Amino acid sequence: IQPASQVSQEEYPELLALTASELDELKEMYFSAKKHRKIDVRGVDDMVKGFIKGFRQEINPLALLSSLKSSNEYTFTHVRNVYILTMYQAEHFGFSGKHLHQLGVASLLHDVGKMFIPDEILSKPGMLTPAERRTIETHTVKGARYLMGIEGIPKLAILSALEHHKKFDGSGYPSIKG
């Protein structure tokens, strides 16, 4: 495969089909979580390995992101975008092997807790009420608890699900009271 910036018009639909296929797999994983079924860690592993292989073939992650812009499914698009950018940056910063793989799993699963938030709150147009905002903020703890119950999930993924809305200065959520 050529770098995405040099992909021919004939090859581009193939690249988009691959992206759509992986997005479907990601949706399936998240819907399994919503039904409180354990996700198949091998599926996550395969997705991460495939993406790492794509980087080694010099696929431009921005080309993959652009293929998802038209999606109206915010959570899946967001998760996929976070995953693509995280993996691209991590590999370029020198992460490899087990560490790169764990970062990939963590970035794919960081928002799994949103599957436990009512759809009417997640997709509500306009401003959330304070109660709805508090409900949304529970997705970090719910996601971490869910992942803790799955054998083979890297600890980094659990921590990422729990703390991905924490800020460097300690603000954000969840609030940790000592």
Side-chain angles (χ1 to χ4, degrees):
I1 296 178
Q2 300 169 326
S5 59
Q6 299 172 5
V7 171
S8 71
Q9 284 188 321
E10 296 81 35
E11 293 171 309
Y12 198 70
E14 261 181 61
L15 182 60
L16 294 182
L18 175 63
T19 302
S21 169
E22 289 174 346
L23 187 59
D24 287 343
E25 288 178 45
L26 182 62
K27 288 178 194 176
E28 175 115 5
M29 255 192 307
Y30 269 68
F31 286 134
S32 289
K34 187 172 189 143
K35 294 176 184 173
H36 296 277
R37 292 189 305 225
K38 292 187 178 180
I39 58 175
D40 182 358
V41 178
R42 290 177 308 225
V44 177
D45 288 344
D46 290 344
M47 202 176 297
V48 172
K49 287 175 187 170
F51 200 76
I52 291 170
K53 181 180 175 189
F55 278 135
R56 298 219 166 94
Q57 294 173 333
E58 299 182 35
I59 293 174
N60 180 341
L62 297 178
L64 295 175
L65 291 177
S66 68
S67 70
L68 297 170
K69 277 186 173 178
S70 63
S71 173
N72 61 1
E73 296 171 293
Y74 176 80
T75 297
F76 303 114
T77 302
H78 166 72
V79 166
R80 179 62 187 249
N81 291 347
V82 166
Y83 172 63
I84 290 168
L85 292 173
T86 298
M87 295 300 286
Y88 183 76
Q89 288 179 328
E91 190 160 74
H92 284 280
F93 284 138
F95 286 89
S96 62
K98 176 181 157 185
H99 298 291
L100 182 63
H101 186 266
Q102 288 179 352
L103 281 167
V105 172
S107 63
L108 268 179
L109 298 177
H110 80 277
D111 256 348
V112 72
K114 284 188 176 177
M115 295 296 96
F116 307 110
I117 304 300
D119 288 335
E120 60 272 9
I121 294 175
L122 276 180
S123 59
K124 179 182 176 183
M127 297 285 291
L128 297 174
T129 67
E132 291 167 333
R133 176 80 181 160
R134 285 190 299 276
T135 299
I136 289 275
E137 290 180 1
T138 66
H139 84 276
T140 57
V141 172
K142 290 177 178 183
R145 283 188 180 142
Y146 170 74
L147 293 175
M148 286 173 62
I150 300 173
E151 190 175 326
I153 293 291
K155 290 178 183 171
L156 180 62
I158 297 166
L159 190 60
S160 294
L162 180 65
E163 295 186 342
H164 71 275
H165 285 282
K166 292 298 284 178
K167 297 180 183 173
F168 186 72
D169 66 0
S171 63
Y173 62 91
S175 176
I176 312 265
K177 301 191 183 195

